[in-house]
């Protein structure tokens, strides 16, 4: 729920963009193990038009964090890393790598980019829409998402910790595991849907993936 406190700055940061890489880590809490509500932070990413990555285990937490910094600097945007209680309190094998030092970014004064009065914000909004289109294209071929074909009678679209729950419950099914949950990879979803008989969406909290699939005509 710290996202609520930071919401004003968070949404503005989507419009100004960033200079160096910037990641916001938000841990959602399905079942309210230690929080006062069960809000779904994917709604913040959708509203602010900020890319969101959702790892399933400790190894992906490390790899997705590295990729998130790359995406942040490449697309001039904050990136949200969405965790959950189960992921945050889990332990699994992680392969370490050498640290990459990219150095400090020089600060350049740019009022049109960094000061969000309405006259400047309108121009930056155009940039945000163009950036969203580029992020969608990026996500279609991203290694963050993968299709795992098994029995093609049932195809399951999922991500994050829900992927592991579904995999344990139905190991024989086909899976589309989505690692970048905003913006969603429309072409990849359509490809997967065309190759299985029946589609299920498995996710916790709000029907974010489900509603997106319905919005593009996937039954």
């Amino acid at each position: 729920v710290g996202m609520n406190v930071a919401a004003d700055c968070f949404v503005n940061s989507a419009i100004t963009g960033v200079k160096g890489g910037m990641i916001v880590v938000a841990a959602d809490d399905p079942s309210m193990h230690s929080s006062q509500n069960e809000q779904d932070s994917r709604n913040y990413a959708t509203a602010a038009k900020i890319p969101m990555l959702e790892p399933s285990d400790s190894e992906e937490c490390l790899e997705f964090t590295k990729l998130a910094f790359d995406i942040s600097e490449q697309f001039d945007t904050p990136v949200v890393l969405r965790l959950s209680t189960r992921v945050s309190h889990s332990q699994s094998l992680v392969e370490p790598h050498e640290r990459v030092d990219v150095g400090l970014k020089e600060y350049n004064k740019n009022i049109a980019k960094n000061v969000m009065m309405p006259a400047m914000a309108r121009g930056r909004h155009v940039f945000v829409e163009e950036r969203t289109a580029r992020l969608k294209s990026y996500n279609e071929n991203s290694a963050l998402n993968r299709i795992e074909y098994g029995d093609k009678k049932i195809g399951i679209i999922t991500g994050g910790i829900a992927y592991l729950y579904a995999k344990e419950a139905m190991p024989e099914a086909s899976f589309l595991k989505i690692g970048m949950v905003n913006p969603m990879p429309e072409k990849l979803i359509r490809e997967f849907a065309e190759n299985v008989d029946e589609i299920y969406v498995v996710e916790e909290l709000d029907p974010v993936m489900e509603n997106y699939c319905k919005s593009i005509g996937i039954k």
Side-chain angles (χ1 to χ4, degrees):
V1 293
M3 284 286 283
N4 296 341
V5 180
D8 188 26
C9 298
F10 172 75
V11 174
N12 265 354
S13 71
I15 304 171
T16 63
V18 296
K19 184 64 179 179
M22 177 181 174
I23 298 177
V24 178
V25 181
D28 288 354
D29 192 15
S31 298
M32 293 183 286
H33 295 280
S34 61
S35 304
Q36 65 268 51
N37 66 49
E38 289 186 296
Q39 71 189 53
D40 192 326
S41 62
R42 290 179 296 175
N43 294 305
Y44 269 120
T46 303
K49 299 187 177 178
I50 286 180
M52 174 178 273
L53 279 53
E54 186 170 7
S56 298
D57 57 26
S58 303
E59 173 71 15
E60 285 190 348
C61 284
L62 177 61
E63 293 304 316
F64 282 25
T65 299
K66 292 178 179 180
L67 280 168
F69 275 113
D70 291 340
I71 292 167
S72 178
E73 296 199 10
Q74 180 181 343
F75 292 95
D76 189 7
T77 180
V79 177
V80 183
L81 192 72
R82 184 198 187 217
L83 307 179
S84 70
T85 305
R86 293 301 184 196
V87 174
S88 297
H89 289 263
S90 68
Q91 296 181 53
S92 59
L93 293 174
V94 171
E95 183 178 351
H97 298 278
E98 290 296 319
R99 183 175 184 270
V100 178
D101 187 355
V102 297
L104 292 175
K105 303 292 182 182
E106 182 182 355
Y107 174 75
N108 298 308
K109 187 174 181 179
N110 187 342
I111 293 175
K113 182 180 190 294
N114 296 323
V115 181
M116 287 300 95
M117 300 299 288
M120 280 81 86
R122 281 190 287 269
R124 290 298 298 175
H125 184 73
V126 174
F127 166 80
V128 170
E129 295 298 334
E130 292 171 346
R131 181 181 67 198
T132 299
R134 290 189 290 118
L135 282 163
K136 284 181 179 178
S137 178
Y138 170 88
N139 200 26
E140 293 294 350
N141 302 298
S142 171
L144 291 159
N145 314 306
R146 67 173 181 264
I147 292 176
E148 301 171 358
Y149 284 118
D151 185 346
K152 293 187 176 181
K153 290 180 181 178
I154 293 179
I156 298 175
I157 298 173
T158 185
I161 193 64
Y163 162 76
L164 296 180
Y165 295 157
K167 194 80 173 176
E168 183 176 9
M170 300 187 69
E172 73 286 350
S174 293
F175 285 84
L176 169 54
K177 180 184 182 297
I178 298 179
M180 183 188 281
V181 296
N182 191 64
M184 293 279 276
E186 178 179 344
K187 292 179 182 178
L188 192 64
I189 292 171
R190 291 188 186 279
E191 175 191 335
F192 182 67
E194 289 172 0
N195 285 284
V196 296
D197 297 337
E198 212 170 355
I199 287 283
Y200 293 88
V201 177
V202 178
E203 58 189 326
E204 289 186 304
L205 304 179
D206 295 341
V208 175
M209 292 182 176
E210 178 185 346
N211 288 344
Y212 180 81
C213 290
K214 288 177 178 178
S215 75
I216 60 172
I218 306 295
K219 295 183 180 179

